[in-house]
Amino acid sequence: MLLPIVTSFHYSSGDPYAARISFHPDPDNTPGITWYVERDLLSVGTRARSGTGDVQAWPAHGPDGAYHTLLQLGPPAGRALFRVDTPGLLAWLTLTHSVVAPGSEASHVDWQPFERLLTEYGAQ
């Protein structure tokens, strides 16, 4: 059974590897549920099976012949499967690629907090 769910996709250069996906089953009464998914996993999932464990994506054709990307979230005992319109997802991914080009994510990460931690713990 398919149930429509209001979903919003977010991307920030401050967290360049991740896409934030918020699911709003009842947008009038709840804040929704948010998952952070690797952007590359979504991109690969539009054309081939991608991911392992709790987050996986793969291409599929809908009953109407339209292209969809299936996004599976959660552990085996409580998985949810979402059908995402592939052309819409690809358009959104293209926008994220204009913010941070694929392969350049590391140059957008602020490494200073990690360097401070390493310095603090390395000095002890």
Side-chain angles (χ1 to χ4, degrees):
M1 173 200 250
L2 293 176
L3 300 172
I5 295 179
V6 174
T7 307
S8 53
F9 285 69
H10 307 273
Y11 183 76
S12 167
S13 61
D15 192 1
Y17 291 103
R20 183 169 50 103
I21 307 172
S22 297
F23 301 92
H24 309 278
D26 185 2
D28 295 330
N29 296 319
T30 61
I33 300 161
T34 299
W35 277 74
Y36 289 83
V37 177
E38 184 183 9
R39 180 177 70 162
D40 285 348
L41 182 144
L42 291 173
S43 185
V44 171
T46 63
R47 54 188 189 282
R49 191 166 197 97
S50 179
T52 59
D54 290 353
V55 181
Q56 298 181 35
W58 63 92
H61 288 87
D64 56 357
Y67 289 98
H68 299 285
T69 300
L70 298 179
L71 178 61
Q72 181 176 278
L73 302 173
R79 290 183 176 148
L81 184 64
F82 300 93
R83 186 177 75 185
V84 181
D85 173 68
T86 298
L89 179 57
L90 287 170
W92 180 80
L93 285 166
T94 298
L95 289 173
T96 72
H97 293 160
S98 71
V99 175
V100 175
S104 71
E105 292 90 351
S107 67
H108 292 268
V109 174
D110 178 7
W111 296 106
Q112 288 183 352
F114 299 107
E115 291 169 358
R116 278 195 298 275
L117 284 173
L118 290 172
T119 302
E120 288 174 19
Y121 286 106
Q124 294 180 0

